[in-house]
Amino acid sequence: METRDRGLLLGLIGVVIFSGSLPATRAAVTGFEPIFLTAARALLAALGAVIALGLFENSRPLRSEVPSLLVVAASVVVGFPLLSALALMEISVARGVLFTGLLPLSTAAWAMVRGGERPRPAFWVFALCGSGLVAAFALFNGGSQGAWLGDALMLAAIVVCGLGYAEGAVLSRRLGGWQVICWALALSAPIMLGLALMTWPAHWPTSDSSAWLGLAYVAMFSMLIGFFFWYRALAIGGSSRVGQLQLLQPLLGLGLCAVLLHESIAWSLVATCIGVLGCVAGARRLA
């Protein structure tokens, strides 16, 4: 298998894992406040990260790479989890999931700024078309039309997450994919510990296990294991090219909502899926 094709395969695995993030976050916020949830998921993931670094990693980041690791930590360890959790207090899971379709555009834009990538102009046509399809679906099928605060929070989360993906991709070329997220988690652990102690719950969820399952998923899969595949994929396949796979994330997420929450799937979702797949194929060829 060629290197770029391997990058696409690893990226697809990462996207499948990330597709469950927002449904799991919604489950978790039924029992935990968003700020504590953000700190708790980071701490649990940091525990696994420290173990992995102790067992398999012998080198440390260069001093010049620490600022970039802090950007990754601020973006994907703190920024996206907190902003998306706050957003899901205001909007439906379906609406929030669909906003993730804008991630490829955010990642590609930040890859130009931080990674020096220069996609062809035609790439942007397909990227904008795919993002436009997802945005249109969110507008007409996403739920409450008055949830402007939740929409703004999700848009901010997408911008921040794109930065974290692009910055991590650059670091992964030297450090390796899984090492980037592990070092970012390790660096952020002291601050997350202090935040967790400040927001420690007075009462723990006891009657519903879904909050605990949601916390476990976003900590181990969304925050750690998914990045093992994703950062490696971005490093070897290119942020712009592999990042287009994120257009599938909202559709996979909605599928999970249908299975787990027994929501019906409208014909418009099928049409959007076909259109998005076409945009992914076009962008992949022209990236």
Side-chain angles (χ1 to χ4, degrees):
M1 183 182 294
E2 294 184 2
T3 299
R4 288 192 173 184
D5 290 335
R6 187 165 68 251
L8 289 172
L9 176 59
L10 294 174
L12 181 60
I13 296 173
V15 166
V16 170
I17 292 173
F18 290 147
S19 297
S21 297
L22 290 189
T25 299
R26 167 51 69 85
V29 296
T30 61
F32 302 102
E33 292 295 326
I35 296 178
F36 176 80
L37 173 63
T38 301
R41 65 187 281 181
L43 284 173
L44 290 173
L47 179 60
V50 170
I51 293 174
L53 289 172
L55 290 176
F56 304 111
E57 178 64 8
N58 294 320
S59 62
R60 294 186 179 184
L62 301 174
R63 181 176 296 181
S64 60
E65 293 171 332
V66 172
S68 291
L69 283 171
L70 292 176
V71 170
V72 172
S75 302
V76 300
V77 177
V78 181
F80 180 81
L82 179 58
L83 290 169
S84 60
L86 291 171
L88 292 179
M89 302 291 286
E90 306 291 337
I91 59 177
S92 66
V93 179
R95 192 176 186 88
V97 163
L98 281 166
F99 272 96
T100 62
L102 302 176
L103 268 172
L105 190 57
S106 176
T107 303
W110 283 115
M112 288 182 61
V113 176
R114 303 298 298 174
E117 296 188 15
R118 294 293 183 268
R120 299 176 185 175
F123 164 85
W124 291 105
V125 174
F126 281 103
L128 288 170
C129 287
S131 298
L133 285 173
V134 174
F137 190 93
L139 178 62
F140 294 108
N141 299 276
S144 173
Q145 298 298 310
W148 60 269
L149 177 59
D151 288 350
L153 288 168
M154 276 305 305
L155 282 173
I158 296 306
V159 172
V160 167
C161 192
L163 170 60
Y165 285 172
E167 195 75 27
V170 175
L171 286 170
S172 295
R173 294 167 191 167
R174 196 197 73 83
L175 284 177
W178 68 270
Q179 292 92 330
V180 169
I181 189 60
C182 285
W183 282 113
L185 286 165
L187 288 173
S188 64
I191 296 176
M192 292 296 98
L193 177 59
L195 190 61
L197 293 175
M198 290 173 58
T199 57
W200 197 261
H203 304 284
W204 297 91
T206 56
S207 59
D208 188 2
S209 61
S210 61
W212 290 101
L213 291 174
L215 173 60
Y217 187 92
V218 295
M220 290 294 101
F221 289 92
S222 302
M223 187 63 73
L224 187 62
I225 296 174
F227 281 102
F228 282 23
F229 295 97
W230 186 244
Y231 276 149
R232 180 59 179 166
L234 293 178
I236 65 177
S239 297
S240 300
R241 190 168 187 259
V242 174
Q244 290 306 297
L245 292 171
Q246 294 168 110
L247 285 170
L248 301 176
Q249 185 170 330
L251 305 173
L252 293 172
L254 283 176
L256 290 175
C257 289
V259 172
L260 299 177
L261 305 178
H262 307 290
E263 296 181 358
S264 60
I265 300 178
W267 67 267
S268 54
L269 176 58
V270 178
T272 303
C273 182
I274 294 173
V276 167
L277 286 173
C279 291
V280 171
R284 178 178 178 271
R285 180 183 278 292
L286 297 171

